[in-house]
């Protein structure tokens, strides 16, 4: 087989290029961008970066600035002078109770979600296969497809004094137990629909899928031979769970807690529909900004969950929770 002779310089110059350079400024600019992948990625990310930078971060900065203003108690007008007076108002007993109440509710919902989630996620990660795993994902995702308000109002009917839950307790002859729980000073009330316990139940139900999915993904990464090796070395099921499974799945629990804690911390609709007249942070922001017109205090209330979640995210990152998202 004969080898083809190389082209001369004049022939190479006359041969057409595979991608001939296009004329015009815009086509040349497009070609230059395509030849520089980093510039292409930068231009792709630029719109969303500008959106987050201007609309989201910009609004947070404006909110932070507003929190350093105060309101004139006589005229009700905002005094645009730098002061820490508004943050001092957060330490008043009434306002501090709102912050403490919200943080405790968010922590309680997070702990309860983690406890309820672990058996479900462990079963899905270890035993569900094929069609059953699809059923698992469908069962977790299906409640997220329905309206948030519809679910909350449905729970209000379920928890009402004339609701199905009260009827069920009566049929089981456990009305005395329900009345004993509602008689507890802090969590009780006239019915579950106007109690902290009812608010807690609805919060846990609404945010539970956001805890299940990260924990299940984290448990999927736990090697099965590692669990078997621990059992072969004499570890009891309790020791296996405490020393092997839980430490390896903990980043998933922390990742799920980011959702449950932050969503509970900022929600104002559920406490508005289900619960007592005592406010949470979201309701306080809505009341101060809308009804009272005290925008600096509303901004200061808004900064509180931002600071709390900033510290929480820093701690979660240190624990490797973002790897489980």
């Amino acid at each position: 087989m004969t080898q083809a002779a190389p082209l001369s310089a004049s022939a190479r110059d006359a041969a057409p290029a595979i991608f001939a350079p296009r004329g015009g400024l815009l086509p040349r600019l497009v070609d230059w961008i395509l030849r520089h992948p980093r510039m292409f990625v930068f231009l792709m990310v630029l719109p969303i970066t500008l959106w987050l930078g201007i609309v989201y971060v910009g609004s947070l900065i404006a909110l932070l600035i507003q929190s350093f203003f105060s309101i004139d108690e006589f005229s009700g007008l905002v005094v645009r002078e730098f002061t820490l007076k508004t943050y001092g108002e957060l330490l008043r007993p009434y306002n501090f109770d709102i912050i403490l109440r919200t943080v405790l509710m968010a922590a309680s919902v997070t702990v309860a979600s983690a406890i309820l989630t672990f058996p479900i996620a462990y079963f899905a990660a270890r035993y569900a296969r094929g069609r059953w795993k699809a059923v698992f994902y469908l069962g977790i995702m299906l409640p997220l497809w329905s309206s948030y308000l519809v679910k909350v109002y449905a729970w209000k009917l379920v928890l009402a004094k004339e609701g199905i839950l009260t009827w069920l307790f009566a049929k089981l002859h456990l009305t005395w137990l329900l009345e004993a729980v509602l008689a507890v000073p802090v969590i009780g009330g006239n019915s579950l629909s106007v109690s902290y316990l009812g608010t807690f139940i609805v919060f846990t139900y609404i945010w539970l899928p956001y805890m299940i999915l990260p924990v299940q993904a984290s448990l999927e990464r736990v090697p099965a031979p590692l669990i078997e090796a621990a059992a072969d070395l004499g570890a009891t099921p309790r020791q296996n769970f405490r020393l092997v499974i839980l430490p390896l799945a903990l980043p998933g629990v922390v990742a799920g807690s980011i959702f449950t804690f932050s969503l509970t911390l900022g929600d104002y609709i559920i406490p508005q529909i289900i619960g007592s007249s005592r406010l949470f942070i979201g309701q306080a922001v809505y009341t101060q900004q809308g009804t009272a017109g005290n925008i600096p205090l509303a901004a200061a209330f808004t900064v509180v969950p931002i600071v709390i979640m900033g510290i929480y995210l820093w701690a979660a990152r240190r624990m490797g929770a973002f790897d489980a998202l």
Side-chain angles (χ1 to χ4, degrees), residues 1-66:
M1 183 180 290
T2 58
Q3 196 173 27
L7 292 174
S8 62
S10 59
R12 285 197 303 268
D13 295 338
I18 297 177
F19 295 103
R22 296 179 290 179
L25 179 60
L26 184 59
R28 288 176 181 272
L29 181 61
V30 172
D31 291 339
W32 182 83
I33 292 173
L34 293 177
R35 287 196 301 270
H36 295 78
R38 292 184 179 180
M39 180 57 66
F40 179 74
V41 172
F42 171 75
L43 292 177
M44 291 291 291
V45 176
L46 184 61
I48 188 63
T49 304
L50 290 176
W51 174 263
L52 290 174
I54 296 174
V55 177
Y56 183 70
V57 179
S59 62
L60 287 180
I61 294 175
L63 185 70
L64 181 64
I65 294 173
Q66 288 280 350

Side-chain angles (χ1 to χ4, degrees), residues 28-172:
R28 288 176 181 272
L29 181 61
V30 172
D31 291 339
W32 182 83
I33 292 173
L34 293 177
R35 287 196 301 270
H36 295 78
R38 292 184 179 180
M39 180 57 66
F40 179 74
V41 172
F42 171 75
L43 292 177
M44 291 291 291
V45 176
L46 184 61
I48 188 63
T49 304
L50 290 176
W51 174 263
L52 290 174
I54 296 174
V55 177
Y56 183 70
V57 179
S59 62
L60 287 180
I61 294 175
L63 185 70
L64 181 64
I65 294 173
Q66 288 280 350
S67 67
F68 288 106
F69 296 156
S70 63
I71 192 167
D72 186 87
E73 296 180 358
F74 179 74
S75 62
L77 300 176
V78 176
V79 179
R80 300 183 180 278
E81 296 178 357
F82 182 86
T83 180
L84 295 176
K85 176 184 176 182
T86 305
Y87 283 100
E89 293 183 12
L90 293 179
L91 299 178
R92 292 182 177 179
Y94 177 76
N95 293 329
F96 188 76
D97 284 347
I98 293 175
I99 298 172
L100 185 61
R101 184 181 306 123
T102 307
V103 173
L104 288 177
M105 178 63 74
S108 302
V109 170
T110 300
V111 172
S113 298
I115 294 173
L116 293 173
T117 288
F118 220 94
I120 301 172
Y122 186 82
F123 177 83
R126 291 295 168 205
Y127 301 106
R129 294 291 182 272
R131 183 179 300 176
W132 285 109
K133 180 152 287 190
V135 171
F136 164 77
Y137 283 117
L138 183 63
I140 298 302
M141 299 300 294
L142 195 61
L144 299 178
W145 300 344
S146 59
S147 171
Y148 172 84
L149 285 175
V150 169
K151 290 186 290 187
V152 176
Y153 275 109
W155 268 104
K156 186 175 181 64
L157 295 176
V158 170
L159 299 175
K161 183 174 289 188
E162 301 82 9
I164 188 173
L165 198 60
T166 304
W167 173 84
L168 182 61
F169 272 92
K171 287 296 182 180
L172 296 175

Side-chain angles (χ1 to χ4, degrees), residues 163-206:
I164 188 173
L165 198 60
T166 304
W167 173 84
L168 182 61
F169 272 92
K171 287 296 182 180
L172 296 175
H173 304 287
L174 294 175
T175 305
W176 60 270
L177 178 60
L178 179 61
E179 292 176 350
V181 172
L182 293 176
V184 178
V186 177
I187 65 174
N190 293 330
S191 68
L192 287 173
S193 63
V194 289
S195 65
Y196 285 144
L197 181 59
T199 308
F200 166 79
I201 292 172
V202 178
F203 267 134
T204 304
Y205 168 80
I206 295 293

Side-chain angles (χ1 to χ4, degrees), residues 253-320:
V253 177
V254 178
S257 71
I258 294 173
F259 295 106
T260 57
F261 190 81
S262 62
L263 292 171
T264 305
L265 206 61
D267 192 277
Y268 75 94
I269 297 177
I270 292 177
Q272 188 77 19
I273 298 174
I274 298 174
S276 63
S277 58
R278 295 181 179 179
L279 301 180
F280 287 76
I281 288 179
Q283 294 171 287
V285 172
Y286 179 80
T287 302
Q288 295 296 335
Q289 188 272 338
T291 306
N294 193 342
I295 296 179
L297 185 57
F301 265 118
T302 308
V303 171
V304 173
I306 294 175
V307 173
I308 294 174
M309 285 309 303
I311 298 172
Y312 197 89
L313 290 174
W314 174 81
R317 183 176 179 274
R318 293 289 301 271
M319 299 181 67

